[in-house]
Amino acid sequence: MLIGDKLKFLSMLLTLKCVVDDNGEPTDDLSPEALEFCRRNNVTATKVSEILANKEPAIYQAIQEGFERVNAKATSRAQNVQKWVILERDFSISGGELGPTMKLRRPIVVKMYQEKINEMYAAGDKP
């Protein structure tokens, strides 16, 4: 989810693709696509929590390089995503982040992750 309305710069809340259980709840297990990406990058993690706990360098670097490629195509610096954070769990209907039609409920997500958002925009912190 992109954040930045009325803020100094753009930032993003990211989730990793994970397996969903029978109730539609995101689990801690990475999806087959995410596991394949990990294998290609010599990462042995199989869970979102493992990647976050280790701040898995190959994953974080791949994400940062992706942002750098996208930012290079931006027409102005104001369009650059300057900070990002990976969340512990994927967005879901049961978690409250998504509505019944799978639309992102932005105000609810902002409230839920306000602390992480505040950390990205902490005073004196350079983007």
Side-chain angles (χ1 to χ4, degrees):
M1 180 176 114
L2 186 65
I3 300 168
D5 191 36
K6 298 182 179 117
L7 294 168
K8 293 179 185 178
F9 55 87
L10 297 180
S11 65
M12 192 166 280
L13 299 176
L14 301 174
T15 63
L16 299 177
K17 194 167 177 106
C18 63
V19 174
V20 177
D21 68 16
D22 294 338
N23 299 320
E25 278 284 318
T27 67
D28 192 33
D29 297 324
L30 292 169
S31 71
E33 299 91 346
L35 288 171
E36 177 57 30
F37 182 85
C38 287
R39 274 193 288 277
R40 284 196 318 264
N41 288 280
N42 299 316
V43 175
T44 58
T46 60
K47 299 184 177 304
V48 174
S49 58
E50 292 171 0
I51 289 174
L52 295 177
N54 299 329
K55 288 201 181 279
E56 197 59 62
I59 303 299
Y60 278 71
Q61 182 179 345
I63 292 170
Q64 183 60 42
E65 287 171 358
F67 276 115
E68 288 168 7
R69 284 192 303 274
V70 170
N71 286 343
K73 296 176 183 174
T75 55
S76 76
R77 184 150 164 74
Q79 295 174 339
N80 287 358
V81 175
Q82 296 185 26
K83 290 192 178 185
W84 52 272
V85 65
I86 301 173
L87 302 178
E88 297 83 23
R89 52 172 292 184
D90 203 354
F91 297 146
S92 66
I93 293 172
S94 58
E97 303 96 345
L98 301 176
T101 59
M102 301 297 284
K103 288 184 182 171
L104 189 61
R105 299 166 81 188
R106 295 179 65 81
I108 291 171
V109 173
V110 168
K111 275 186 187 167
M112 290 174 76
Y113 296 103
Q114 191 65 61
E115 190 174 312
K116 289 188 181 294
I117 294 168
N118 289 347
E119 287 173 16
M120 288 192 287
Y121 290 96
D125 226 5
K126 291 190 177 181

